[in-house]
Amino acid sequence: MTTFIREREMIVMADEMNGNSAGDCAATKVTEALTFVTERIASRPRVGIVLGSGLGCIADAVENPVAIPYGDIPHWPRTTAQGHAGRLVLGELEGVKVVVMQGRVHHYEGYSASEVTFPIRVLGELGISTLFATNASGGVNLGYRPGDLVAVYDHINFMGINPLAGRNNEKWGPRFPDMSYAYDHEYLEMLESAAAEEKIPLRRGVYIAFSGPSFETPAEIRMARVMGADIVGMSTIPEVITANHMNVRAAAVSCVANFAAGVKPEKLRHQEVLDSMARAARSMERLLRGFLRKIS
Ligand code: HPA
């Protein structure tokens, strides 16, 4: 009996840490956000797109846009990071109905794992079957250069958090979802063929995420390299885990914004990340368009 009570307390504590206090509270919040969004659109999107640091301008390409500031959507976490606009843009791109997140929130902004992935829950409930996530990263692989685009084919979750911790909502997905193909292999091939057609060099790499917000130390980057990581960042993994949980197929493309810590003698600066991303945004948009043409 005492063991049972202790277990129950632990579950409630984990739920609270993940923002799902009192059982289905998170699901209720998702429904409220969903209702708010669906009241403003005529049809449901098929593809969710997350635009990372410095890539927000890609949202301007959406046709027949309906833009909703994050601040207007009930329970939606507000972005505080520089380079993230904070709007949901719904419309069409290459004839595909899309919902674009112009900016994301991160764990390092003080949000729990389930708050970080709240938007993915809403997008999943909106009915997306595909998630296309983008991000900025540091090049861990010594062959990578700033400006390189990398199709993520696997990840190492080194963030110390998992968005599925706490009580599982069976309506969203199973307790122990498989992550063998967290990055859909058919999508990887589509990305590579779209890149070849557009003559955009595209690498395939393993993404490792640390919680941030401090950049990694050179020793941490050497460890990441030994572990098999090619690029490093502070996002995307919670979103991809959540998408997989909801049976949404995921693709992620990273833009190498800088050499990871210790690769070069210079110190890392966030402005360098934003400048590299601004330069890479057009190639990322062309790749995204090519990918959308393939899945349509
Ligand atoms: N480390 C972590 N996150 C990043 C980096 C980096 O070097 N560059 C862009 N995002």
Side-chain angles (χ1 to χ4, degrees), residues 37-217:
V37 174
T38 45
E39 277 168 357
R40 281 154 184 80
I41 52 172
S43 55
R44 300 274 183 135
R46 202 181 129 200
V47 177
I49 299 163
V50 183
L51 298 177
S53 302
L55 295 174
C57 55
I58 297 176
D60 299 337
V62 173
E63 288 157 31
N64 306 316
V66 173
I68 312 175
Y70 290 164
D72 292 356
I73 309 173
H75 314 295
W76 198 283
R78 316 274 188 274
T79 45
T80 66
Q82 199 192 344
H84 290 258
R87 292 190 319 163
L88 199 61
V89 182
L90 299 108
E92 286 119 52
L93 209 49
E94 296 295 326
V96 179
K97 291 201 186 334
V98 297
V99 49
V100 181
M101 283 174 57
Q102 201 175 15
R104 59 154 66 85
V105 297
H106 305 80
H107 181 57
Y108 65 70
E109 292 172 80
Y111 292 109
S112 68
S114 66
E115 284 169 333
V116 166
T117 52
F118 178 88
I120 305 300
R121 293 293 182 202
V122 178
L123 267 47
E125 290 272 1
L126 257 178
I128 63 161
S129 50
T130 305
L131 179 74
F132 184 97
T134 63
N135 64 39
S137 60
V140 174
N141 185 316
L142 296 172
Y144 288 14
R145 297 266 165 284
D148 286 355
L149 292 184
V150 184
V152 178
Y153 79 89
D154 207 346
H155 72 222
I156 301 172
N157 184 2
F158 221 71
M159 298 182 84
I161 54 162
N162 190 303
L164 308 184
R167 182 179 306 162
N168 185 52
N169 181 342
E170 290 291 326
K171 283 188 228 122
W172 282 336
R175 170 77 293 187
F176 300 109
D178 177 60
M179 290 290 141
S180 305
Y181 304 94
Y183 302 82
D184 189 278
H185 282 201
E186 197 187 343
Y187 285 176
L188 272 166
E189 280 167 22
M190 287 177 178
L191 278 169
E192 282 166 354
S193 87
E197 282 163 25
E198 290 289 322
K199 301 197 171 32
I200 299 168
L202 181 67
R203 299 177 180 278
R204 242 187 208 214
V206 173
Y207 178 81
I208 186 168
F210 289 78
S211 69
S214 52
F215 285 114
E216 303 70 36
T217 62

Side-chain angles (χ1 to χ4, degrees), residues 136-139 215-216 221 232-234 257-261 268 273:
S137 60
F215 285 114
E216 303 70 36
I221 293 301
V232 60
M234 306 174 190
N258 53 280
F259 293 103
L268 270 52
V273 173

Side-chain angles (χ1 to χ4, degrees), residues 230-281:
D230 297 295
I231 46 178
V232 60
M234 306 174 190
S235 68
T236 308
I237 291 179
E239 296 155 8
V240 167
I241 291 174
T242 305
N244 275 267
H245 184 235
M246 298 183 96
N247 206 21
V248 169
R249 296 166 72 186
V253 180
S254 185
C255 174
V256 178
N258 53 280
F259 293 103
V263 175
K264 299 278 169 189
E266 292 80 28
K267 288 186 170 185
L268 270 52
R269 291 177 306 111
H270 184 56
Q271 191 55 48
E272 182 189 351
V273 173
L274 296 180
D275 294 347
S276 300
M277 298 306 281
R279 283 194 295 274

